[in-house]
Amino acid sequence: MDHDAVKFEISAQTTGWMAIGFNQGKGSMSNADFLVVAYDLGSDSWLISDRYSNPRKNQIPLEDEQQDGEVVSGKYEHPYQTVTIRRKVDTMDPRDIPFRKVASLIWAFGGHDQFFETSTMSFSRHIARDHCINPIF
């Protein structure tokens, strides 16, 4: 972490999407802030989407109007992918959770990255997920 931003490296055995989320609670998807990434074979590039969830459980995170995530670098070797992403410590976006207020870190990945290919930005349910409480940035 520099004083302005935090970098995360995410790796998974998947050809789909990967996500990291931030929550002020105990690791649920409810009221969380997410960065979702996927490798697009067609354009040979990484795509990132800044998202948030509302209090309703099991709802697909919605795309944030202000996109605050950045892909720093990535490596795709079917079926493995690793990507480094960056976000400011405090984006001043009301939909983003400042890192000083994060109580749990959430991560997940899915088997399909179709959410970057549709106008509705919907995506498949995760095939793996977990969280940790009280992360240190």
Side-chain angles (χ1 to χ4, degrees):
M1 176 175 113
D2 60 33
H3 298 289
D4 230 22
V6 177
K7 287 182 184 177
F8 297 92
E9 183 176 274
I10 307 169
S11 296
Q13 182 179 347
T14 183
T15 57
W17 58 270
M18 301 183 296
I20 189 163
F22 317 100
N23 191 303
Q24 292 175 308
K26 299 209 186 250
S28 79
M29 282 185 59
S30 181
N31 287 322
D33 173 20
F34 298 92
L35 292 173
V36 184
V37 294
Y39 182 73
D40 180 32
L41 287 170
S43 66
D44 190 29
S45 63
W46 289 93
L47 306 171
I48 188 166
S49 180
D50 185 357
R51 294 177 167 263
Y52 66 95
S53 62
N54 67 27
R56 290 180 31 193
K57 291 188 175 191
N58 297 323
Q59 185 177 36
I60 293 171
L62 305 170
E63 187 170 36
D64 195 336
E65 290 177 19
Q66 180 176 319
Q67 292 293 299
D68 295 301
E70 172 189 357
V71 174
V72 176
S73 64
K75 181 179 178 180
Y76 179 87
E77 292 180 352
H78 182 78
Y80 299 94
Q81 52 188 353
T82 300
V83 65
T84 301
I85 57 176
R86 177 182 181 274
R87 199 196 88 181
K88 288 184 179 179
V89 172
D90 188 349
T91 64
M92 305 305 285
D93 179 349
R95 300 272 189 209
D96 290 341
I97 298 172
F99 288 136
R100 71 181 180 285
K101 294 183 178 180
V102 171
S104 60
L105 188 64
I106 307 161
W107 60 91
F109 63 91
H112 305 285
D113 57 358
Q114 68 202 25
F115 70 102
F116 285 114
E117 299 170 10
T118 66
S119 59
T120 61
M121 296 294 277
S122 64
F123 55 98
S124 62
R125 186 168 174 83
H126 48 69
I127 55 177
R129 68 180 174 89
D130 208 343
H131 71 280
C132 73
I133 305 296
N134 298 321
I136 299 172
F137 293 101

